[in-house]
Amino acid sequence: MVECSTVNRSLFLVFSLTLLTLFPTISFSQNIFESQYFRWSRLPDLIPVGDQKAALGVAGAFAGVHNDVMILAGGTNFEEPRWQTEKSWHNDILVYEKDAGSWRKVGELPTSIGYGTSVSTEYGVVCIGGTDGNKLSDGVFILKWDH
């Protein structure tokens, strides 16, 4: 089950400042795509989102990993024919469990949103900001996988 909760803004400020202090110390001495620490492979295509019948994928979704499950939430896309239709905004929460080998819908965000940023932490996937296509969000929430 994915749990979505709001985070206190002061906690967000502390979290942001912590990240900013870490970035100067991060460096890569080798190409990370060829590293022994990463193994890249293609995941199955996403399932349809919203009321769409085809799996069109999404852009600008919140994404991260918590408790060995990939979580993807929100985002946007265009129905077919692409670029000739209005952009669709989504609130679906999808998970990919490696053992199952497929995506499934497990819930919905309170509102359709995309183009924020997300960070995987031991506490869940922290989702920051975004837009619903009309206004910017200053909200922060956490998506947790509770298996």
Side-chain angles (χ1 to χ4, degrees), residues 3-141:
E3 177 185 320
C4 180
S5 58
T6 303
V7 176
N8 184 310
R9 289 188 187 181
S10 62
L11 177 60
F12 168 67
L13 179 60
V14 170
F15 179 74
S16 298
L17 292 174
T18 302
L19 283 178
L20 290 174
T21 60
L22 290 177
F23 281 124
T25 64
I26 297 174
S27 65
F28 295 102
S29 59
Q30 61 180 335
N31 182 344
I32 63 169
F33 297 107
E34 297 174 5
S35 170
Q36 66 184 7
Y37 303 106
F38 294 96
R39 190 171 134 221
W40 298 93
S41 61
R42 181 179 166 90
L43 293 176
D45 290 341
L46 290 177
I47 58 176
V49 292
D51 57 359
Q52 297 176 344
K53 293 177 177 48
L56 303 173
V58 291
F62 296 100
V65 175
H66 185 242
N67 287 333
D68 296 324
V69 171
M70 179 171 264
I71 303 172
L72 186 117
T76 67
N77 63 16
F78 291 89
E79 300 229 21
E80 299 289 345
R82 290 189 182 157
W83 314 118
Q84 297 176 19
T85 58
E86 290 291 317
K87 185 181 281 191
S88 296
W89 294 83
H90 302 286
N91 66 343
D92 300 86
I93 302 173
L94 307 178
V95 296
Y96 175 82
E97 294 176 276
K98 190 174 182 178
D99 293 340
S102 62
W103 291 95
R104 66 185 170 111
K105 181 175 175 177
V106 295
E108 294 181 348
L109 297 173
T111 186
S112 297
I113 191 167
Y115 299 108
T117 192
S118 49
V119 181
S120 297
T121 73
E122 65 182 284
Y123 305 105
V125 180
V126 179
C127 302
I128 307 163
T131 180
D132 64 3
N134 295 313
K135 61 183 177 181
L136 295 175
S137 170
D138 62 356
V140 179
F141 57 93

